[in-house]
Amino acid sequence: QTLGERELAALAWLQLGSACYQGNQKDKAVEPFQNAVALYRALNKRAAEGDALNSLGAAYFDLGNNREARKAFEQALPLRRDARTKALT
């Protein structure tokens, strides 16, 4: 796969997870969010990785898995802060 194809694949996983999450299938949202995180991490797309981790954390939280939710949120926070700082400079 080319770089563009991998970015599209990551976006597709994120959108699939979001559709499951919004459709009250939060248990089915976890795997697509995990796949999006992995692809964005491999592509070094830190802001997108942070967004995917935040979505993953929300899914875990809504499923009552607070430990995994916290891990995802803690990983997302510095990535999202970095993205915000870059956007402001």
Side-chain angles (χ1 to χ4, degrees):
Q1 284 183 325
T2 66
L3 179 62
E5 290 171 334
R6 286 185 292 169
E7 284 186 68
L8 284 174
L11 179 60
W13 281 119
L14 187 61
Q15 289 177 335
L16 177 60
S18 295
C20 292
Y21 183 85
Q22 292 170 359
N24 264 345
Q25 295 181 312
K26 292 170 177 55
D27 58 322
K28 293 184 180 175
V30 169
E31 185 177 354
F33 286 147
Q34 289 172 330
N35 290 335
V37 168
L39 279 170
Y40 283 131
R41 187 170 289 152
L43 294 166
N44 200 31
K45 299 288 184 178
R46 293 176 54 83
E49 180 186 348
D51 291 341
L53 280 162
N54 196 58
S55 295
L56 178 60
Y60 278 135
F61 181 80
D62 287 347
L63 290 169
N65 191 339
N66 294 337
R67 193 171 84 191
E68 290 299 320
R70 182 179 177 137
K71 282 172 44 179
F73 290 140
E74 286 177 346
Q75 290 177 56
L77 188 59
L79 299 174
R80 293 171 63 92
R81 278 189 188 144
D82 288 350
R84 183 172 182 200
T85 301
K86 287 178 185 174
L88 295 174
T89 57

